[in-house]
Amino acid sequence: MDTKNKGFNTKLVHAGAYEEHFGSVVTPIYQTSTFAFKNARHGADCFAGKSDGYIYTRIGNPTVKAFEDAMAELEHGFGGIATSSGMSAVSSVYMALLGQGKHIVCSASVYGPSRGILERDFSRFGVEMTFIDTSDLEQIKNAIKENTTVLYIETPTNPTMQITDIEKASEIAHKHGVTVVVDNTFSSPYLQNPLVLGADAVLHSITKYINGHADVVGGVIVTKEEELFKKIKASMVYLGGNMDPHQAFLTHRGLKTLSIRMEKAEENAMKVAEFLENHPKVDWVLYPGLKSHPQHELAKKQMKGFSSMISFGLKGGIEAGITVMDNVHLAALAVSLGGVETLIQHPASMTHAGMSKEAREKAGITDGLVRFSVGIENAEDIIEDLKQAMDKI
Ligand SMILES: *Cc1c(COP(=O)(O)O)cnc(C)c1O
């Protein structure tokens, strides 16, 4: 079905065509590593790109392609590249766009490993890097150098919830011929379309909102133009970071309910954020949907909603954080986010415990900071769970 001129929900359900067999309503799982050519000529044409036939699953697979096409349409891009994980998407983009003597400007508080692989690995290959607060456009202007090739933005950031103006940041970068890449994991295409706002490539950890059911790890990249698509796709294929057909099947199934899941999660998140903001044991709450969020107006302009990630600070520091973690029952004590189930995490004692307190504070990760991924359960139950856990502080 041609979904080009249809609404977002119709695209969610129907985008991503495949050649159907036996009237199958859903894209089948083509669980095969390789594809037989009809004859030598057909094989030659496939390799020369003169035929759109499949060759080998690391290069392409019909189940994966259906998901890639759906994502490309939802993000308004030229094409999608599905990957084995979100980090595989990030690495493929870096691999394609960076090299000896090249420079990347990156949001300082991006997803840990997105920064880690630059500092740990790409630095060894002679890549230069500057980490800044990209929500401050002046810092972007000052950080771009002669050899800058990439501006890498995450918005909102994790777990500090800073929001970067994608349109303005892209204008600045493009004046210097810099490619703009946006990690859109926290918003999903339902809430934010970076390519429409001016970015050149968008990527997701589909592990989060897009799959939404905490049962798949995966990633995807969508580029605006064909040239960049080919460049990144080649790096992904050489790195071997492809998505598996079964992963693609599950993810495409999750994708179809993206908007109804996000609507419910956001509705719950707003209630939870308001509850927290009025709680005596809570120092501060960061949720883009609250008027108190420093970039609430920008969030309203750039996003169609505020997603369901909340960071809040407990009075009583690390001890208070541990008490809450040990006493929640409905919220699962787990990393990751964006699933139907509510998850809670305490960075100071968990994901960021390896950092010194000083380094954490510098990154805005205070001892009492709790990260909360609001699910689609009943809001009253989520709030009651938090309330009884905080009573124990
Ligand atoms: C989880 C996450 C990633 C990495 O994705 P994986 O699927 O875990 O490899 C990248 N960016 C953001 C914002 C994330 O939340």
Side-chain angles (χ1 to χ4, degrees):
M1 178 187 161
D2 183 7
T3 48
K4 284 278 176 298
N5 297 316
K6 298 286 191 281
F8 189 85
N9 290 318
T10 307
K11 284 182 198 283
L12 278 182
V13 177
H14 295 287
Y18 71 100
E19 216 175 291
E20 63 186 8
H21 295 294
F22 309 114
S24 165
V25 170
V26 171
T27 312
I29 309 174
Y30 286 88
Q31 194 70 44
T32 182
S33 60
T34 194
F35 298 84
F37 305 121
K38 294 185 186 88
N39 49 45
R41 180 68 205 233
H42 180 222
D45 285 350
C46 284
F47 273 101
K50 289 187 203 146
S51 160
D52 57 6
Y54 290 92
I55 300 170
Y56 184 59
T57 283
R58 178 159 47 75
I59 304 171
N61 174 288
T63 314
V64 179
K65 175 82 161 47
F67 170 65
E68 290 172 331
D69 287 352
M71 283 306 301
E73 204 171 317
L74 295 165
E75 283 288 18
H76 305 272
F78 167 79
I81 303 162
T83 55
S84 58
S85 67
M87 276 315 297
S88 168
V90 174
S91 313
S92 300
V93 167
Y94 289 166
M95 192 66 111
L97 299 175
L98 297 170
Q100 176 80 34
K102 299 274 167 50
H103 175 244
I104 178 171
V105 175
C106 184
S107 304
S109 62
V110 279
Y111 182 72
S114 304
R115 176 172 176 160
I117 194 173
L118 289 171
E119 293 180 313
R120 205 189 77 113
D121 297 300
F122 281 85
S123 61
R124 290 186 287 116
F125 308 140
V127 173
E128 296 170 31
M129 52 204 70
T130 306
F131 299 99
I132 55 161
D133 175 1
T134 51
S135 69
D136 176 358
L137 297 169
E138 280 306 308
Q139 290 191 33
I140 299 180
K141 276 184 201 152
N142 295 334
I144 291 176
K145 304 197 289 187
E146 194 92 330
N147 57 343
T148 306
T149 53
V150 184
L151 171 64
Y152 186 93
I153 296 168
E154 197 175 297
T155 178
T157 53
N158 169 25
T160 46
M161 298 294 171
Q162 284 152 332
I163 297 171
T164 296
D165 189 324
I166 298 172
E167 195 172 357
K168 297 219 169 97
S170 300
E171 272 170 28
I172 297 166
H174 288 158
K175 269 190 207 138
H176 302 274
V178 171
T179 302
V180 180
V181 180
V182 176
D183 182 336
N184 202 25
T185 302
F186 266 41
S187 303
S188 90
Y190 175 59
L191 299 180
Q192 180 169 277
N193 288 127
L195 300 185
V196 175
L197 295 167
D200 303 293
V202 55
L203 64 87
H204 293 270
S205 164
I206 63 81
T207 315
K208 317 297 167 52
Y209 288 105
I210 290 182
N211 178 61
H213 292 76
D215 52 10
V216 180
V217 169
V220 71
I221 306 148
V222 177
T223 71
K224 186 143 63 185
E225 307 289 351
E226 182 173 5
E227 197 186 328
L228 188 58
F229 172 85
K230 285 186 168 158
K231 212 165 159 176
I232 298 172
K233 168 104 194 204
S235 289
M236 186 284 283
V237 168
Y238 277 17
L239 269 170
N242 62 288
M243 183 176 271
D244 175 86
H246 192 248
Q247 257 178 314
F249 170 80
L250 284 172
T251 306
H252 205 157
R253 182 164 88 156
L255 176 70
K256 292 179 190 190
T257 54
L258 176 70
S259 54
I260 52 175
R261 283 187 284 109
M262 291 219 69
E263 263 166 43
K264 181 66 188 159
E266 184 185 343
E267 183 193 315
N268 284 351
M270 197 65 218
K271 290 180 185 162
V272 172
E274 281 167 357
F275 158 76
L276 288 168
E277 205 164 43
N278 293 309
H279 197 285
K281 289 181 183 168
V282 174
D283 217 2
W284 51 266
V285 183
L286 272 177
Y287 177 62
L290 289 175
K291 287 204 177 69
S292 58
H293 188 285
Q295 290 151 311
H296 176 65
E297 290 306 318
L298 174 57
K300 271 207 302 205
K301 188 184 91 172
Q302 175 162 290
M303 302 164 71
K304 293 185 199 82
F306 308 109
S307 201
S308 72
M309 291 301 297
I310 302 173
S311 285
F312 62 97
L314 286 168
K315 292 178 186 163
I318 212 153
E319 284 306 317
I322 292 170
T323 302
V324 170
M325 296 304 116
D326 282 345
N327 287 287
V328 284
H329 305 299
L330 182 148
L333 188 47
V335 297
S336 197
L337 59 109
V340 291
E341 57 287 286
T342 295
L343 303 179
I344 193 165
Q345 209 254 104
H346 181 225
S349 70
M350 296 174 189
T351 45
H352 297 72
M355 278 165 86
S356 69
K357 185 175 158 115
E358 205 181 3
R360 278 202 305 266
E361 305 251 302
K362 202 169 164 213
I365 304 162
T366 52
D367 279 354
L369 187 150
V370 173
R371 201 190 71 171
F372 206 62
S373 171
V374 183
I376 65 169
E377 301 96 336
N378 286 82
E380 314 82 73
D381 293 334
I382 300 169
I383 290 170
E384 179 52 36
D385 187 41
L386 268 178
K387 187 170 176 302
Q388 61 80 30
M390 289 199 290
D391 283 347
K392 307 239 164 54
I393 297 173

